[in-house]
Amino acid sequence: MDEAELPECPVCLQPYDAVSAIPRVLTCGHTTCEACLKQLPNPFPNTIRCTVCTLLVKFPNSLASLPKNLDLLHLSSVLQHRHSPGNKKVISPSSPQANGIDQSVLFPSALKSWSYEFYCKWKKWVLPRDCISIEKVGSESDGGVVCGEVLKYFQSDYVMGCVLREKEHVGLVRVGTFVEGEEDSKFFKASYESRILTVLYGMEEEARNKLRIILNATLRVSNVGKVFGFWCNEDDKCVYMVCEKVASPNLLKCVLKKKEDEDERLSSDEMSALAMFCMEICEILSRLHSEGLAIGFLRVSCFGFNDFGRVYVDLGDVFNTGRRLHMAVRIELCDLGISLKDTLLDKYLMFISPEMLLNFFVKESFKFDWGKSRYEVGCASDVWSLACLLVWLIVGSTFVEEMKCFLHFVANAIKDEKGCDYSGLCMRWSEKIAVVLEGRLGSEYASLQDILCKCLGFDPGNRPVITDLWKCLRELVIKPQFDTGLMLKQEVKNGKTGHCVVLGEICEMVEEADKELMGVIQGKDKNDGAGVELRVNEDVVQGVSRGHVKCTEMKGHLDCITGLAIGGGFLFSSSYDKIVHVWSLQDLSHVHSFKGHEHRIMAVVFVDGEQPLCISGDNENVICIWKVTFPFSEEPVRKLHEKKDWRYSGIHAMAISGTGYLYTGSGDKLVKAWSLQDYTLSCAMSGHKSVVSSLIVCDGVLYSGSWDGTVRLWSLSDHSPLTVLVEDKPGNVGSVLSLSMEHHLLFVGHENGSIKIWHNDVLMKSTQTHKGAVFSVSTKEKWLFSGGWDRTIGLQEISEDVDGMEVIRVGSIACNSTITALLYWQGKLFVGQADTIIKVYQGV
């Protein structure tokens, strides 16, 4: 057989493609590329002379309204695939290899195991994939802190006032990683939303509750960096929490100009400035505590100032500081030559409460005697850290040196594992701090010195509450007798409340979740060999959810697959190669070939009647009817011929209504009804303004889709028109290429890559699912499969509730060729491709 040449434009002689030489069909039926049509002269308004037949035809203002010649695009895609280097020779149906080779592939564990209710709770926090980019990644020794930059403006529909502005810097806090095997990513690609929701769903309920408390609290507490939501990085598959980051001047320059002589006492103005600053921190921490949040440590860089000079807490820095703290503890325990005191104070200037430090060591599997009770991290931990910050601002480097000694003794005592009086150690350290404070403050600020020393106590239950510290600081700014505005109705108790969330624990939560998930994946990889073989075949959707899908390839056609039909225990496939192949549904082996067409077959259907039939139609208006009983006949039992028009030709779609009628959609814009009793033409239904590209029958209604962008509904009883479905918005009209019906919903695939969902005559949802034409859609209950020009099979979940309809993108299956036909049947997904191969996906 001679190698066919690529179809090309009659003007510029360039091969047609979907980008540079798009084939457009004129009203006379001939095709010219879009680029040439733009350059042809217009002798009269809204007219153009066809380059082939030279007739003067109507020419619209917009070239996009002219339908694309999808047949030529199909043919061009197939031929280009043949010419590409490394393309394998086609296997004939009689060849032993034609029965296909099974390839078991592992998906990410528990993919799409979350419920619709879970999706509704968290979808509002999912940020667009293209709104953030990674700007900087810190070193591993620095905790791997990540910063990002906003690429485009984004405003949340749910959170009023939360706006991401272009080129704004944001903090990125990793909350998990979407883990998948190397082979998995080559086969199945989870959608962007699915990656984020899968990571969130993989967390324990307690961890998700902590995240939810943090997200809601940042919206209610002023002067705290907002959390905008979650974003997934395509490169490292990590899911990040995106936090507001405010660029502010150095803390020391705004609060206090350090004197060279640290023994010199602070002036009253300097003490008032310190009091104002720490009062605002007290107010912020108090509000966080009322929301159930406690930090457990404070770092100087966590604080900044907004445009009005008010103190601002950068939550992103708080989270990332927690990661650094984990890294510092591990380095200390591993004796890598970098001490904890140097890391916390010299490098980060971080003040961590004793109970939180001891809890960190416990989580690293170190055991030691807590004494009578184990002190939990809570609101009192922030009191201790804030007191350290205030003492440092008052005393200076002397306090840092004393703190280094304290941390050194604590770390060595823990590593010795011989037991230590931590309470006594802390008491002796606080006594030294009291002496230094007295020399710096003098007797004038005795009340402040007293409460700071109490705040630095070892037992959290004996520390003052944060409102007591706030009152003491306020007296430095305004005398009590003049303080008419002081009204504190409630106090925050110390200790750990039932809903307290320690922000630093988020970092550890992420690391533990990653370890567990990696352990599951690694354990699964080790047992893959035997485990897959023992599994029983199951539904493809269940296979995706569990993580295992099997793909079988059926080879035998010599050209692009155009249609699939199932009936009588067989799969029927039509192709441009003018042959209908019959395959056994038991073992997917090739059974027979119907050869009777002289032109490309465009569609195939099965009639389940007294006499089972297979009916196929080609692009020259010939319909062949085949008997589906053993032995299969070599010739069709009947051939029907549609009336030919020199301008329009070809059957593009077929559908069956029981055993009564065969419906055909053709290039002449008509839908024809053929009687299956005597094989005569019963009627022709007109109304479409272009090629009728797809047909389906459901619940007494015939649906017809056309290149004119509309779907028409016809009554099966008298073939009268019922209604027309078309979107009202101008410029959104795209050729209809595929239809599917499930219950009361109609799914329409368009040439522009969108899928529209209709209920009766109401457009419920429109999604841009593919990059290019959607040649086929198939449904199974709430699941929607779609495929087209971009060589991917989209998997989406359709959910309905009182608030409307939601289309959840679960993921996509990557294919090596354009998808031209999809058919779901008894748990299997049959996929016809332009490269002559039929693939069958099913769960295992």
Side-chain angles (χ1 to χ4, degrees):
M1 180 183 293
D2 294 336
E3 189 70 36
E5 295 183 358
L6 292 171
E8 57 189 26
C9 172
V11 180
C12 63
L13 303 181
Q14 293 297 316
Y16 288 123
D17 58 38
V19 181
S20 59
I22 303 173
R24 295 287 182 181
V25 182
L26 298 173
T27 54
C28 63
H30 294 113
T31 301
T32 307
C33 82
E34 184 176 302
C36 291
L37 289 176
K38 291 179 180 179
Q39 301 178 17
L40 290 178
N42 298 73
F44 302 101
N46 299 324
T47 61
I48 196 171
R49 193 169 296 281
C50 175
T51 59
V52 179
C53 64
T54 69
L55 288 178
L56 201 62
V57 296
K58 291 184 178 180
F59 187 71
N61 293 328
S62 173
L63 278 174
S65 61
L66 285 176
K68 294 180 182 179
N69 193 322
L70 299 179
D71 291 339
L72 288 180
L73 283 176
H74 275 299
L75 181 60
S76 179
S77 173
V78 173
L79 292 177
Q80 287 177 11
H81 178 80
R82 288 178 180 174
H83 293 164
S84 61
N87 194 35
K88 296 181 180 179
K89 187 177 180 180
V90 178
I91 301 176
S92 66
S94 60
S95 172
Q97 294 98 324
N99 291 337
I101 300 174
D102 291 350
Q103 297 175 348
S104 296
V105 184
L106 297 178
F107 288 79
S109 59
L111 178 65
K112 185 51 193 77
S113 53
W114 29 269
S115 64
Y116 177 62
E117 290 73 19
F118 181 86
Y119 172 81
C120 292
K121 283 182 181 179
W122 292 96
K123 66 175 181 177
K124 54 181 171 284
W125 296 107
V126 176
L127 299 177
R129 75 167 74 198
D130 55 352
C131 71
I132 305 289
S133 69
I134 298 293
E135 183 183 32
K136 175 179 142 183
V137 179
S139 62
E140 188 66 27
S141 61
D142 193 36
V145 176
V146 182
C147 297
E149 183 180 27
V150 180
L151 296 179
K152 70 175 185 179
Y153 176 89
F154 171 75
Q155 182 171 5
S156 172
D157 295 331
Y158 171 75
V159 185
M160 184 177 296
C162 281
V163 178
L164 291 173
R165 296 176 177 83
E166 190 174 351
K167 295 185 179 180
E168 182 179 358
H169 297 286
V170 290
L172 299 177
V173 181
R174 186 168 65 90
V175 298
T177 305
F178 184 80
V179 180
E180 56 184 346
E182 183 178 349
E183 293 299 322
D184 304 346
S185 58
K186 296 178 181 178
F187 180 75
F188 182 86
K189 183 179 181 181
S191 69
Y192 172 78
E193 284 185 346
S194 286
R195 294 178 186 180
I196 295 177
L197 293 173
T198 300
V199 168
L200 294 176
Y201 189 78
M203 297 178 180
E204 294 185 359
E205 186 64 28
E206 181 182 0
R208 282 199 303 271
N209 287 336
K210 290 181 179 181
L211 280 180
R212 191 180 295 112
I213 292 172
I214 291 171
L215 292 169
N216 293 327
T218 59
L219 302 178
R220 292 192 286 262
V221 179
S222 58
N223 291 355
V224 170
K226 306 304 177 189
V227 176
F228 296 107
F230 300 99
W231 172 75
C232 182
N233 183 22
E234 294 289 339
D235 296 330
D236 57 13
K237 303 295 190 301
C238 288
V239 175
Y240 295 94
M241 188 161 55
V242 180
C243 304
E244 184 179 10
K245 192 173 188 65
V246 178
S248 60
N250 185 275
L251 178 65
L252 290 178
K253 292 181 180 178
C254 291
V255 179
L256 179 67
K257 294 182 178 179
K258 286 288 187 181
K259 295 181 173 63
E260 294 181 1
D261 184 6
E262 291 191 350
D263 293 332
E264 184 180 348
R265 293 182 179 179
L266 301 178
S267 66
S268 58
D269 291 338
E270 289 174 327
M271 287 302 300
S272 296
L274 282 180
M276 287 289 291
F277 167 71
C278 291
M279 277 175 59
E280 292 183 9
I281 298 179
C282 286
E283 293 166 6
I284 294 172
L285 293 177
S286 178
R287 294 191 188 103
L288 287 176
H289 294 168
S290 65
E291 294 290 339
L293 297 177
I295 298 176
F297 58 85
L298 293 177
R299 182 188 178 198
V300 174
S301 64
C302 295
F303 300 99
F305 296 89
N306 62 16
D307 295 338
F308 296 95
R310 299 294 302 274
V311 178
Y312 197 95
V313 176
D314 188 340
L315 271 189
D317 192 87
V318 171
F319 289 123
N320 288 323
T321 297
R323 187 176 297 279
R324 293 185 176 104
L325 183 55
H326 276 272
M327 186 62 64
V329 171
R330 290 189 181 126
I331 292 175
E332 173 73 29
L333 295 178
C334 294
D335 291 325
L336 298 179
I338 304 176
S339 65
L340 184 65
K341 60 184 179 65
D342 295 333
T343 304
L344 297 186
L345 296 174
D346 288 344
K347 191 172 184 179
Y348 299 130
L349 198 54
M350 181 194 310
F351 305 110
I352 177 172
S353 62
E355 60 270 20
M356 188 163 192
L357 181 61
L358 294 179
N359 273 280
F360 267 109
F361 279 104
V362 169
K363 289 169 183 175
E364 294 296 333
S365 301
F366 269 75
K367 298 180 181 179
F368 50 87
D369 183 16
W370 286 87
K372 294 182 180 180
S373 61
R374 175 171 175 170
Y375 300 119
E376 299 289 350
V377 180
C379 302
S381 304
D382 290 342
V383 173
W384 194 93
S385 300
L386 179 56
C388 285
L389 178 64
L390 181 54
V391 172
W392 170 72
L393 290 171
I394 295 173
V395 174
S397 60
T398 303
F399 175 75
V400 175
E401 295 302 322
E402 291 294 341
M403 177 68 82
K404 284 184 179 180
C405 295
F406 175 67
L407 288 176
H408 177 71
F409 285 125
V410 170
N412 287 339
I414 292 174
K415 289 190 289 185
D416 288 343
E417 299 184 6
K418 296 180 180 179
C420 176
D421 181 12
Y422 298 103
S423 177
L425 184 62
C426 185
M427 184 180 298
R428 290 190 294 273
W429 170 77
S430 61
E431 288 174 354
K432 293 182 181 179
I433 299 302
V435 173
V436 177
L437 272 176
E438 184 178 5
R440 186 72 165 151
L441 293 176
S443 59
E444 184 181 354
Y445 300 103
S447 60
L448 177 62
Q449 176 185 335
D450 180 62
I451 197 170
L452 287 177
C453 290
K454 291 180 180 179
C455 290
L456 296 177
F458 181 77
D459 187 352
N462 294 331
R463 296 172 194 159
V465 294
I466 199 165
T467 49
D468 289 341
L469 179 59
W470 179 86
K471 290 177 184 178
C472 181
L473 292 170
R474 187 175 174 90
E475 291 178 1
L476 301 181
V477 180
I478 181 171
K479 298 301 179 182
Q481 58 268 31
F482 302 110
D483 194 2
T484 58
L486 179 59
M487 294 179 62
L488 290 178
K489 296 183 180 180
Q490 63 179 8
E491 294 183 351
V492 179
K493 296 181 180 180
N494 277 340
K496 184 172 181 178
T497 62
H499 300 286
C500 185
V501 177
V502 182
L503 299 185
E505 290 182 355
I506 290 292
C507 305
E508 182 187 9
M509 175 189 73
V510 173
E511 293 175 3
E512 293 301 322
D514 286 351
K515 289 178 183 177
E516 292 179 7
L517 188 55
M518 285 301 296
V520 171
I521 295 297
Q522 291 169 359
K524 179 176 66 174
D525 292 342
K526 293 177 182 178
N527 300 319
D528 279 345
V532 174
E533 294 177 0
L534 294 176
R535 292 189 179 96
V536 179
N537 290 344
E538 61 178 20
D539 192 289
V540 62
V541 176
Q542 295 176 356
V544 170
S545 300
R546 291 180 62 255
H548 292 274
V549 166
K550 180 173 67 174
C551 174
T552 301
E553 291 187 353
M554 303 164 64
K555 302 179 180 179
H557 281 290
L558 303 176
D559 214 326
C560 173
I561 309 297
T562 57
L564 298 171
I566 282 180
F570 302 104
L571 169 70
F572 304 91
S573 58
S574 61
S575 169
Y576 281 172
D577 63 6
K578 312 171 189 176
I579 298 173
V580 175
H581 280 319
V582 184
W583 312 82
S584 170
L585 290 175
Q586 295 296 322
D587 56 6
L588 304 181
S589 61
H590 182 263
V591 176
H592 186 70
S593 298
F594 291 132
K595 301 178 181 179
H597 287 278
E598 298 179 0
H599 302 279
R600 294 179 297 172
I601 304 176
M602 304 298 295
V604 63
V605 292
F606 175 80
V607 181
D608 189 11
E610 222 175 277
Q611 172 67 58
L613 301 173
C614 172
I615 305 177
S616 52
D618 63 33
N619 68 335
E620 286 295 324
N621 302 81
V622 176
I623 302 171
C624 289
I625 302 174
W626 313 88
K627 184 176 66 172
V628 185
T629 53
F630 285 109
F632 290 109
S633 61
E634 297 296 329
E635 297 293 331
V637 297
R638 193 72 177 264
K639 271 192 178 184
L640 307 179
H641 297 269
E642 281 193 1
K643 185 179 179 181
K644 261 184 117 174
D645 189 299
W646 70 273
R647 295 175 301 166
Y648 308 102
S649 64
I651 294 172
H652 287 252
M654 303 175 73
I656 293 293
S657 175
T659 58
Y661 289 95
L662 164 70
Y663 297 98
T664 59
S666 308
D668 59 4
K669 313 175 190 177
L670 298 177
V671 179
K672 300 181 181 69
W674 302 80
S675 171
L676 290 176
Q677 306 305 317
D678 55 10
Y679 303 117
T680 59
L681 179 63
S682 297
C683 70
M685 293 163 269
S686 62
H688 284 294
K689 299 178 181 178
S690 188
V691 172
V692 180
S693 56
S694 51
L695 295 170
I696 58 168
V697 171
C698 185
D699 297 331
V701 177
L702 171 66
Y703 299 82
S704 61
S706 169
W707 288 5
D708 62 12
T710 67
V711 176
R712 290 182 175 265
L713 280 63
W714 314 86
S715 171
L716 291 183
S717 59
D718 57 3
H719 298 141
S720 61
L722 298 177
T723 188
V724 181
L725 306 182
V726 61
E727 192 171 1
D728 296 334
K729 296 180 182 178
N732 286 351
V733 177
S735 300
V736 175
L737 303 183
S738 51
L739 298 173
S740 183
M741 194 79 185
E742 183 70 23
H743 300 308
H744 57 287
L745 297 177
L746 173 68
F747 301 87
V748 184
H750 289 264
E751 175 265 337
N752 57 12
S754 67
I755 297 178
K756 300 186 188 301
I757 306 173
W758 296 80
H759 178 214
N760 295 332
D761 57 349
V762 178
L763 179 61
M764 302 294 292
K765 202 77 175 180
S766 178
T767 62
Q768 192 69 29
T769 306
H770 292 270
K771 297 178 180 178
V774 182
F775 292 130
S776 187
V777 290
S778 182
T779 51
K780 184 257 181 177
E781 296 177 354
K782 64 178 181 178
W783 297 99
L784 170 64
F785 302 93
S786 58
W789 186 265
D790 60 2
R791 304 184 179 187
T792 60
I793 302 171
L795 176 58
Q796 302 179 87
E797 183 185 11
I798 310 299
S799 298
E800 295 182 87
D801 55 23
V802 293
D803 297 327
M805 175 180 295
E806 197 69 51
V807 179
I808 307 171
R809 297 184 183 181
V810 177
S812 60
I813 298 175
C815 298
N816 53 3
S817 183
T818 299
I819 289 87
T820 53
L822 288 174
L823 178 62
Y824 177 89
W825 178 80
Q826 293 190 0
K828 299 182 179 69
L829 182 65
F830 296 84
V831 181
Q833 300 186 160
D835 63 354
T836 76
I837 296 174
I838 301 171
K839 290 185 177 181
V840 185
Y841 297 95
Q842 65 184 102
V844 292

